[in-house]
Amino acid sequence: MQNKWGVIYCPKTASRRAACRWKRILRTLRNEGIAFDHAVSDSRGAVERLAAMMTKAGYTTIVVVGGDSALNEALNGILSVSGTSENAPDRARIKRPLLGIIPNGYGNDFARYWGFEEGRYREAIRKLILHQRRRVDVGRARITTEAGEETRYFLNCANVGLAATLIQLRKKTRTFFGMTTPAYIASALALLFKRMRYHMSFSVNSENISHDEMTVCIGSATGYGQTPSAVPYNGALDVTAVSHPQLLSLFNGLWLLFTNRFLTHESVKVWRTRHIAFTDTGKATISLDGKIVHGHVSQLDIDILPEELDFLI
């Protein structure tokens, strides 16, 4: 599969409009003279399986047409068969492909960081053709649940608490409303007045924290605005923990989030680290790049693999 792309399409809806857009993307890829094979994700976990198959088959480039969650699955599929820098002998047997994205999801935070915007697929494809790459960090989460231990990877952020719950609730409300915007509004209002808090215990740098928190974001990139100073190539994670503010302060915090001044809020604590370990997550919902971790997580250990992946920018 020398110099051939493997393109994985993850449809966010089954609408006629989405199908037409996918056809236009395929037509643009062909018109640009790109050699590629494509596959469509049709079930949960399909992107991960397809990315693993394409990596084994020797594709030099894998491009995801999807959002943060689909990109996360592709990352985990690639690393599941190519290994990481810590097990180089295994990775050496399978050459790791370049990873790229054409934004097509409800959350495109990591793509947006590199200047890719949903709806501008022609521009995204022309950028990808240039084959400009950047070695980026990969976050690693060791997760312990009632089912055992599992290792998962992320590019953008891990969320523990309210932000992850919002993602989960958004998906449920989208099923009811059938539209993205009303789903977001309904989810945000429900959580705003519920004002969740979780008693979490975690260690970061030299501090041991045991406190009620609304949400903790561990970002290798911007983390949906919660870790705005994070960059995915400095070998570090930015951590923000938001305690339980008063209602008026909560409204102010949301305003600061939307105006990129989130870190100045009085209820926000900030660290920069390479490792954070949770011994108690307070039974909070957890997500990695917008993908929900299922099951009760009793322990969560997160660190960073510096410059682990070649990403097309």
Side-chain angles (χ1 to χ4, degrees), residues 27-47:
R27 185 164 57 247
T28 302
L29 288 167
R30 295 188 183 104
N31 290 343
E32 293 290 343
I34 299 168
F36 71 97
D37 294 320
H38 68 274
V40 178
S41 165
D42 57 2
S43 62
R44 178 179 166 185
V47 173

Side-chain angles (χ1 to χ4, degrees), residues 182-250:
Y184 268 118
I185 294 173
S187 301
L189 288 175
L191 291 176
L192 178 64
F193 290 103
K194 197 169 184 179
R195 296 169 64 206
M196 295 180 174
R197 70 171 76 187
Y198 307 91
H199 186 78
M200 302 182 191
S201 297
F202 58 90
S203 59
V204 53
N205 295 339
S206 59
E207 295 186 59
N208 294 314
I209 310 296
S210 184
H211 194 265
D212 286 351
E213 308 288 354
M214 287 186 68
T215 188
V216 176
C217 180
I218 303 100
S220 181
T222 55
Y224 306 109
Q226 298 167 92
T227 53
S229 299
V231 293
Y233 43 78
N234 65 349
L237 296 163
D238 279 19
V239 178
T240 59
V242 182
S243 59
H244 198 265
Q246 298 299 315
L247 186 58
L248 289 177
S249 181
L250 181 59

Side-chain angles (χ1 to χ4, degrees), residues 53-68:
M53 290 170 56
M54 288 177 174
T55 302
K56 288 180 179 178
Y59 285 86
T60 57
T61 302
I62 292 177
V63 173
V64 177
V65 183
D68 289 322

Side-chain angles (χ1 to χ4, degrees), residues 104-158:
N104 186 59
Y106 293 106
N108 300 291
D109 201 50
F110 196 73
R112 197 175 298 113
Y113 179 89
W114 301 102
F116 292 90
E117 296 290 341
E118 187 179 11
R120 302 171 68 175
Y121 59 87
R122 292 184 181 88
E123 180 181 320
I125 290 169
R126 289 178 185 131
K127 282 184 178 181
L128 294 174
I129 290 172
L130 296 175
H131 246 57
Q132 294 181 357
R133 67 185 74 181
R134 179 69 191 248
R135 292 197 67 82
V136 297
D137 302 336
V138 172
R140 174 172 56 185
R142 296 183 176 94
I143 303 164
T144 302
T145 67
E146 62 273 12
E149 295 184 4
E150 180 184 19
T151 299
R152 303 290 294 176
Y153 303 94
F154 63 91
L155 289 170
N156 184 29
C157 67

Side-chain angles (χ1 to χ4, degrees), residues 55-56 58 81-83 87-96:
T55 302
K56 288 180 179 178
V81 296
S82 65
N87 51 13
D90 292 335
R91 187 176 65 173
R93 287 197 290 267
I94 298 177
K95 185 176 180 180
R96 186 183 295 173

